[in-house]
Amino acid sequence: MTDNERLIHLIDELVNKNCSFALWSVPGDKTLELLISCQEALFYPNEVSRLNGQEGFVFAPYQISEETPLILLKPDIYKTGIEEIFKLDMNDVKVCQKEQTNYTSHYVIEKEEYLSDIEQTVNTIKNTKLAKAIVSRIIPAERKNESLGKLYTQLFEQTPNAFVYMVNLPKAGLWMGATPEILLKSEGKTMETVSLAGTQPRLSGTEYAWSTKDIEEQAFVSRYLVDLLYRFNIHRYTTRGPETLESGKVAHLFTSFLFAKKKLDHCLGDFIAELHPTPAVCGFPKSKADKFIRTIEKHDRRYYSGFLGPWQLKDSVRLFVNLRCMEIIPEKYMLYAGGGITSRSVPEEEWEETNNKAKTLLSAIEAIRQNDLN
């Protein structure tokens, strides 16, 4: 049995046992990490600031509620690197009871209705103080009998510049994704947060040209981060960008903001509470955009556009915005995708942008099905 086959088998066993786990790799690093938490050790803080002083893997929704709680997995079992993961004795992992879940809340919008919603959003932006709003939708795909272990390893191989993860949790369910967007990460004594917005299909061997709409959309996020850093008394920082980031089947504009890690030593949870949701997943001004989203979107975002990642594990933070993600339910993959709408948005183009974003996951599903036929 090859290492890849062993990994596939291990992931499938974790899923079959329905234990609480997170499996992930960070962008540009082939090192896999696995954290398993017993049900009793899961922490459900009612607000992000209560994560101050905690350690583990965090899985946060777009908005905390009784149905979509903020969850921290404590590191009962924590393995770094494939060789360490293979040392896991599956007999130490208990089988957990599957929860009864209501899957009827996944509202799938048809094209004409989505185009109408985008047109309404553009008109609202032109006639009010709302400058940008993210409007998302759910894209369903049939789930057959394919191995989720195979699907994860395929996604891991094809998106090296993303945070590739799989999470299974009570109340949250089973999720998988490959997100390119850093919320906040530490490297030594430095913290980094990123302004990422603007999307186009990935090109090969061609220079990227960005539209005024994309540049404007990304600038909203950068402006928000500058204001936030100021509010937390972070006046010295460096920036890198705007640059193009390729991830999966699409490319984005991004700018990095780097500052001293010690600035957040005692207020990390408070900073994240203010940072999330960023204008990249909500809009600008944030309060107006959030209110508008609640009226225009007919589905519950659940953990899409929330954040996730290692929280103070080995004294480091690596948090990513939960994009290019899907919720895995018994007979379907429910993919979530959205677009940043401004006064310059064209409804048909926004529909295609959500389709392009979904290709990161859909191409992985198609690839393993094709491999199974060969």
Side-chain angles (χ1 to χ4, degrees):
M1 190 182 284
T2 66
D3 280 358
N4 195 54
E5 288 170 336
R6 290 174 70 190
L7 179 60
I8 289 167
H9 179 70
L10 184 144
I11 294 171
D12 286 339
E13 270 204 274
L14 289 170
V15 173
N16 289 336
K17 287 198 167 192
N18 195 39
C19 59
S20 298
F21 74 90
L23 176 69
W24 72 92
S25 66
V26 298
D29 191 342
K30 288 286 187 179
T31 303
L32 281 171
E33 298 183 58
L34 172 66
L35 189 151
I36 301 173
S37 183
C38 67
Q39 308 285 56
E40 298 77 23
L42 294 173
F43 179 44
Y44 298 94
N46 57 11
E47 54 188 41
V48 177
S49 59
R50 290 194 62 202
L51 289 169
N52 284 331
Q54 297 291 330
E55 177 191 41
F57 185 98
V58 67
F59 195 58
Y62 173 70
Q63 181 185 26
I64 298 171
S65 71
E66 191 174 333
E67 291 75 27
T68 54
L70 172 62
I71 308 171
L72 182 76
L73 294 85
K74 300 291 187 70
D76 290 330
I77 299 173
Y78 176 44
K79 304 282 188 180
T80 302
I82 197 72
E83 292 306 319
E84 284 299 311
I85 289 173
F86 286 156
K87 291 177 184 177
L88 175 66
D89 186 345
M90 288 302 293
N91 292 320
D92 295 335
V93 180
K94 296 178 182 177
V95 176
C96 296
Q97 189 75 25
K98 287 190 182 294
E99 291 188 337
Q100 290 293 322
T101 309
N102 177 17
Y103 295 114
T104 60
S105 60
H106 296 101
Y107 182 89
V108 177
I109 193 169
E110 298 299 328
K111 182 178 179 180
E112 288 308 311
E113 189 179 3
Y114 187 79
L115 296 182
S116 174
D117 285 351
I118 300 305
E119 190 174 333
Q120 181 184 337
T121 304
V122 171
N123 288 335
T124 300
I125 290 169
K126 287 179 177 178
N127 294 296
T128 67
K129 292 183 179 179
L130 180 65
K132 171 188 170 182
I134 283 53
V135 181
S136 66
R137 68 185 181 100
I138 294 175
I139 302 169
E142 184 185 4
R143 181 182 172 190
K144 299 182 181 178
N145 59 350
E146 53 266 335
S147 155
L148 294 180
K150 283 184 182 179
L151 182 52
Y152 180 84
T153 56
Q154 177 65 36
L155 195 60
F156 175 66
E157 286 300 320
Q158 74 178 38
T159 48
N161 293 329
F163 181 84
V164 184
Y165 81 89
M166 187 173 184
V167 164
N168 186 53
L169 286 167
K171 299 189 180 182
L174 181 58
W175 290 73
M176 189 185 299
T179 175
E181 184 169 349
I182 295 167
L183 184 70
L184 187 72
K185 76 169 187 177
S186 62
E187 201 71 56
K189 296 181 178 180
T190 303
M191 276 287 190
E192 178 184 8
T193 188
V194 166
S195 155
L196 185 146
T199 305
Q200 61 176 282
R202 188 168 180 168
L203 304 175
S204 180
T206 309
E207 283 284 319
Y208 285 93
W210 292 95
S211 68
T212 302
K213 184 258 182 186
D214 288 324
I215 293 167
E216 180 182 63
E217 186 185 343
Q218 200 255 345
F220 282 131
V221 189
S222 294
R223 190 182 314 154
Y224 173 78
L225 292 180
V226 168
D227 290 342
L228 179 64
L229 293 172
Y230 181 83
R231 292 205 303 273
F232 276 80
N233 201 30
I234 300 170
H235 303 300
R236 295 178 65 86
Y237 56 86
T238 58
T239 60
R240 186 176 67 244
E243 299 174 3
T244 299
L245 172 68
E246 295 178 322
S247 181
K249 300 293 182 181
V250 292
H252 306 281
L253 267 177
F254 84 104
T255 301
S256 290
F257 293 77
L258 301 105
F259 56 93
K261 182 184 175 187
K262 64 181 180 182
K263 285 286 189 178
L264 300 182
D265 277 349
H266 305 293
C267 60
L268 180 62
D270 303 273
F271 184 80
I272 296 297
E274 289 293 316
L275 179 60
H276 169 74
T278 73
V281 297
C282 179
F284 190 86
K286 193 162 85 167
S287 60
K288 285 184 170 57
D290 183 57
K291 186 176 180 181
F292 179 78
I293 286 168
R294 295 170 202 271
T295 65
I296 201 76
E297 289 186 349
K298 299 166 184 70
H299 62 278
D300 186 345
R301 288 190 174 193
R302 292 181 52 71
Y303 290 86
Y304 161 70
S305 68
F307 63 90
L308 74 163
W311 181 277
Q312 299 293 27
L313 277 176
K314 296 187 293 190
D315 198 35
S316 73
V317 176
R318 301 206 167 198
L319 302 178
F320 290 78
V321 182
N322 197 11
L323 306 175
R324 311 298 174 274
C325 65
M326 62 184 177
E327 185 176 3
I328 302 169
I329 62 176
E331 296 177 354
K332 289 188 181 295
Y333 300 108
M334 308 304 288
L335 288 72
Y336 292 74
I341 313 304
T342 71
S343 61
R344 303 177 193 273
S345 290
V346 177
E348 188 74 36
E349 291 176 2
E350 297 299 337
W351 173 264
E352 285 308 312
E353 181 175 317
T354 56
N355 287 333
N356 286 330
K357 287 174 175 176
K359 285 178 183 177
T360 295
L361 290 164
L362 292 176
S363 63
I365 296 168
E366 183 59 35
I368 64 165
R369 287 178 180 169
Q370 198 61 45
N371 289 338
D372 286 344
L373 290 174
N374 296 335

